[in-house]
Amino acid sequence: MPARQTPFELYAIDSLLSEEEREIRGTVARFVSDRIRPQIADWFESGELPARELARELGSLGVLGMHLEGYGCAGTSATAYGLACLELEAGDSGIRSLVSVQGSLAMFAMHRFGSEEHKQQWLPRMAKGEAVGCFGLTEPDFGSNPAGMRTTARRDGADWVLDGTKMWITNGSIADVAVVWARTGEDAKSIKGFVVPTDSPGFTARDVKKKLSLRASVTSELVLEGVRLPNSAVLPEVSGLRGPLSCLNEARFGIVFGALGAARDSLQTAIDYAVSREQFDRPIAGFQLTQRKLAEMAVALGNGTLLALHLGRMKDAGTLRPEQVSIGKFNNVTGALEITRTARSILGGNGITLEYPVIRHMNNLESVFTYEGTHEIHTLALGQALTGVPAYR
Amino acid sequence: MKIVVLVKFVPDATAARAFGADHTTDRVGVDGLLSELDEYAVEQALQVIEAAGEGEITYVTMGPENAGAALRKALSMGGDQAVHVLDDALHGTDALGTSLVLAKVLEKLEYDLVVAGMASTDGGMSVVPVMLAERLGLPAATFASTLSVADGKATIRRDGDLASETVEVTLPALVSVTDQTGEARYPSFKGIMAAKKKPVTTYTLADLGVAPDQVGLGGAATEVVEVTARPPRQAGVKVNDEGDGGVKLAEFLASQKFI
């Protein structure tokens, strides 16, 4: 073994991966170091992302909808998808978010619940990154409680007419197509999904400005004012909240791995920094307080990775349950956030600048902590799994 | 259009590298990969086929069991099949012996064009392509910074210090390409998964009709007599600027023949 091991070498993580998984991971890692790392700090600072250009590049790699079968998708294992998310998020959570929303929310919704026409029309172009999708569930006043959504779809002759507002929509203003969830009646069972071309009259998207997190990511508000759609726009295979929630479950599986990427990049930065940074005439890596921080971070990262791979294997076997994905998000995002904060402390003053990736990852993870099911809701999902008693219904 | 691309599995330059007791590079016990300079050859071959709209690519490598990884990497970028010459007697083969073995492989294959990298990133001799061309009686156009194929001819540009030459060779021919030919593509995920299903044929020396004493350390025309690790870097010279810093700096650069 070399004098210095990476945290993943310490855990022999590679021994748990197939050759194909290592190659896919390596390809994404190389893309990130060639294409993302040199520019990400500038994109983050300016709050501007060349998202459509990146979508095409990610599409040519095969990242978009990579774990879906057919329609131009690569059809990899779920574990390989997770590893790709990990490497993308080692670049930036915003890049991984772009991929999650495209593949696991917009494409997955059509792949699982859409008509053959939806699939033919959209999936091949979305897999290539020529078309970008977004996913509208959350509203300004309904986040953790989507059952209360106010967006409505009412019949008008053979058509549907949608009215409402969706909030915190990644890729919203750059999307060609939005999967929008709306109630067609009084109760949550009446919720249906609609495939909405974003050039439909009455559809507008405005970007959310003044963010201090996920700045290298497009976040929008969608406004639907009398958007008229044919009946063929309805996702035929699902009604009720099961539709959007199963999509979110896909996306948060990617987050279970992705958050580890942000953590690994922060930890590796802290290790490299500690080895070269001298105080009191010696590298700070030699101080016991620093070593304790590094050891605790490496163990949290390694354990989180073992958990993610366990969940990935279960997903590939078709046995993964939603509350098990909640364990992953609960543990790995919290752990990653803690790692980025501790890594920042090792970098001292340098840790607060965009010269190093750490505070960028740290701020990004504040969003990741909250989106795709807040940490609090995942906590309650675990509480319910253990007790049989739901705390929020 | 049928293209053969020569690829080599080399030790990862970013990982620890070692020499064996016989002064050969340790290829078995270290992490390795497709020589980066060969990726440009793969890319150029793929572009020629894409421009032609038809054709097939066969990759050829010679090396230990794990050299198969270089073939799979190339196959994941594109192309159709591969040949792996695998035989314990190959250990320690020099450039002359390598060209002999590769020539025997090529005698078994159909090809219009053979593409190689400009050098391997480990040995770095750049001689195998021309030795191979000589053995096969092929015209060779080496160190190409551009490559195009049309009307039964390959045309390359070779950029020298003083001039750029445009060289045309009639097919079948051999071309070696430099890192100036353009970035190699990333393997796509579909490519990575498809690569596993592409055929890889393994040949032994006996299959090729090469006697063991023609190759290996015993058959080598060259011998590495000694291997010495480069001494660790010495600390640099510190120049204290006492008003004459510029002069001292210029003197140092002149003493090192930089100016």
Side-chain angles (χ1 to χ4, degrees):
Chain A
M1 261 295 151
R4 275 174 63 186
Q5 299 175 46
T6 66
F8 279 8
E9 283 168 353
L10 187 63
Y11 269 74
I13 292 298
D14 278 16
S15 68
L16 298 171
L17 308 179
S18 70
E19 185 181 317
E20 183 177 300
E21 288 163 349
R22 289 197 298 268
E23 281 176 31
I24 287 174
R25 180 189 63 175
T27 299
V28 180
R30 187 164 154 189
F31 172 80
V32 167
S33 72
D34 290 350
R35 201 55 192 91
I36 306 296
R37 242 173 223 131
Q39 302 187 71
I40 186 64
D42 290 335
W43 292 337
F44 188 96
E45 188 164 49
S46 66
E48 285 169 10
L49 183 73
R52 292 202 63 109
E53 191 185 325
L54 285 173
R56 277 189 293 273
E57 293 176 27
L58 291 160
S60 71
L61 277 186
V63 177
L64 304 175
M66 62 186 272
H67 62 310
L68 304 177
E69 288 286 344
Y71 305 99
C73 303
T76 68
S77 69
T79 305
Y81 168 60
L83 293 165
C85 287
L86 190 156
E87 294 302 332
L88 290 168
E89 198 149 354
D92 192 88
S93 303
I95 309 298
R96 200 268 308 136
S97 297
L98 188 165
V99 169
S100 288
V101 169
Q102 177 87 345
S104 283
L105 294 181
M107 291 176 75
F108 177 82
M110 288 189 232
H111 194 271
R112 171 68 70 88
F113 305 121
S115 65
E116 188 57 33
E117 187 189 336
H118 293 142
K119 296 177 197 178
Q120 299 279 1
Q121 186 185 354
W122 290 106
L123 293 181
R125 288 176 60 218
M126 291 173 83
K128 284 188 189 150
E130 289 168 4
V132 173
C134 67
F135 183 89
L137 174 67
T138 297
E139 299 186 357
D141 295 327
F142 292 90
S144 293
N145 180 25
M149 71 169 62
R150 292 205 183 100
T151 299
T152 57
R154 64 182 165 78
R155 285 317 289 255
D156 185 40
D159 294 342
W160 292 91
V161 177
L162 269 64
D163 286 280
T165 307
K166 296 294 181 180
M167 192 62 184
W168 309 117
I169 308 305
T170 298
N171 300 350
S173 67
I174 60 158
D176 302 280
V177 61
V179 172
V180 174
W181 300 90
R183 64 167 67 245
T184 61
E186 287 307 305
D187 61 10
K189 288 192 188 108
S190 75
I191 290 171
K192 285 185 180 300
F194 294 84
V195 176
V196 186
T198 56
D199 58 3
S200 303
F203 181 100
T204 50
R206 277 194 297 262
D207 282 346
V208 176
K209 297 290 183 188
K210 298 182 180 172
K211 288 182 294 177
L212 288 174
S213 174
L214 290 184
R215 290 182 55 77
S217 176
V218 176
T219 312
S220 313
E221 176 187 30
L222 308 183
V223 179
L224 301 110
E225 288 172 312
V227 175
R228 181 173 288 274
L229 298 167
N231 193 41
S232 61
V234 178
L235 292 175
E237 301 300 328
V238 73
S239 54
L241 275 176
R242 187 176 68 81
L245 295 186
S246 58
C247 298
L248 292 174
N249 206 46
E250 285 295 302
R252 67 177 65 113
F253 171 81
I255 291 172
V256 171
F257 282 81
L260 299 166
R264 188 195 66 194
D265 195 49
S266 301
L267 171 55
Q268 197 59 54
T269 303
I271 293 170
D272 294 343
Y273 187 89
V275 168
S276 62
R277 169 76 173 178
E278 292 188 359
Q279 289 293 289
F280 306 102
D281 301 322
R282 55 196 281 221
I284 62 170
F287 292 112
Q288 292 181 1
L289 288 177
T290 308
Q291 291 205 349
R292 177 178 182 174
K293 287 178 187 175
L294 295 175
E296 287 176 349
M297 286 192 281
V299 169
L301 175 68
N303 289 356
T305 308
L306 295 178
L307 171 59
L309 289 171
H310 176 53
L311 299 179
R313 300 301 175 208
M314 285 198 284
K315 186 164 171 57
D316 282 323
T319 60
L320 184 64
R321 301 192 303 272
E323 66 271 25
Q324 293 173 320
V325 182
S326 289
I327 302 171
K329 189 174 186 263
F330 175 97
N331 183 71
N332 287 10
V333 179
T334 318
L337 196 48
E338 197 58 42
I339 286 170
T340 57
R341 287 169 179 161
T342 308
R344 211 288 305 152
S345 78
I346 289 178
L347 269 71
N350 284 313
I352 70 157
T353 74
L354 284 172
E355 295 297 317
Y356 294 90
V358 178
I359 202 161
R360 178 167 51 78
H361 288 312
M362 183 179 111
N363 277 12
N364 284 338
L365 287 175
E366 291 290 350
S367 296
V368 178
F369 185 75
T370 290
Y371 73 19
E372 310 285 356
T374 64
H375 183 74
E376 292 76 4
I377 290 292
H378 287 297
T379 309
L380 297 180
L382 298 180
Q384 181 181 356
L386 292 167
T387 64
V389 185
Y392 53 92
R393 289 209 183 98
Chain B
M1 172 69 58
K2 289 192 160 85
I3 301 181
V4 171
V5 182
L6 309 178
V7 297
K8 187 174 183 186
F9 180 76
V10 297
D12 185 349
T14 63
R17 286 181 287 180
F19 292 97
D22 56 5
H23 300 156
T24 60
T25 314
D26 180 4
R27 293 175 190 285
V28 177
V30 297
D31 287 337
L33 72 183
L34 171 63
S35 174
E36 193 191 332
L37 289 170
D38 291 345
E39 285 188 25
Y40 297 98
V42 175
E43 177 64 36
Q44 287 306 306
L46 290 167
Q47 287 190 17
V48 168
I49 293 292
E50 283 160 5
E54 58 85 33
E56 61 173 54
I57 298 177
T58 305
Y59 301 104
V60 176
T61 200
M62 183 182 119
E65 189 95 42
N66 51 2
L71 294 175
R72 272 189 302 277
K73 172 70 187 289
L75 287 168
S76 69
M77 291 169 72
D80 302 277
Q81 66 251 326
V83 173
H84 185 174
V85 185
L86 176 62
D87 197 306
D88 288 344
L90 286 168
H91 176 81
T93 303
D94 66 357
L96 209 55
T98 302
S99 67
L100 172 69
V101 173
L102 294 176
K104 293 290 184 189
V105 174
L106 281 158
E107 281 170 13
K108 286 180 176 281
L109 301 173
E110 285 178 39
Y111 57 88
D112 302 295
L113 182 66
V114 180
V115 186
M118 62 188 276
S120 61
T121 57
D122 57 351
M125 293 174 70
S126 300
V127 295
V128 168
V130 277
M131 287 177 170
L132 177 62
E134 190 67 22
R135 287 186 187 275
L136 295 171
L138 293 177
T142 53
F143 295 98
S145 47
T146 64
L147 166 65
S148 60
V149 176
D151 305 325
K153 288 180 177 142
T155 308
I156 69 145
R157 196 186 75 225
R158 185 191 294 131
D159 294 324
D161 287 343
L162 298 174
S164 288
E165 301 166 288
T166 300
V167 181
E168 200 175 80
V169 284
T170 305
L171 302 183
L174 178 143
V175 169
S176 77
V177 303
T178 73
D179 55 357
Q180 299 304 306
T181 44
E183 281 303 301
R185 68 194 61 193
Y186 301 103
S188 73
F189 295 171
K190 277 188 206 163
I192 289 171
M193 293 194 296
K196 281 194 302 193
K197 300 184 188 96
K198 293 178 181 173
V200 177
T201 309
T202 304
Y203 288 135
T204 61
L205 287 174
D207 295 334
L208 298 172
V210 176
D213 60 3
Q214 291 177 281
V215 295
L217 275 176
T222 55
E223 186 188 352
V224 178
V225 184
E226 194 182 345
V227 173
T228 318
R230 187 183 290 181
R233 271 195 205 176
Q234 304 295 315
V237 179
K238 231 180 213 173
V239 175
N240 282 327
D241 186 5
E242 290 155 0
D244 58 350
V247 176
K248 283 183 182 166
L249 206 53
E251 280 171 359
F252 172 77
L253 290 172
S255 73
Q256 301 293 316
K257 296 194 167 47
F258 280 111
I259 54 174

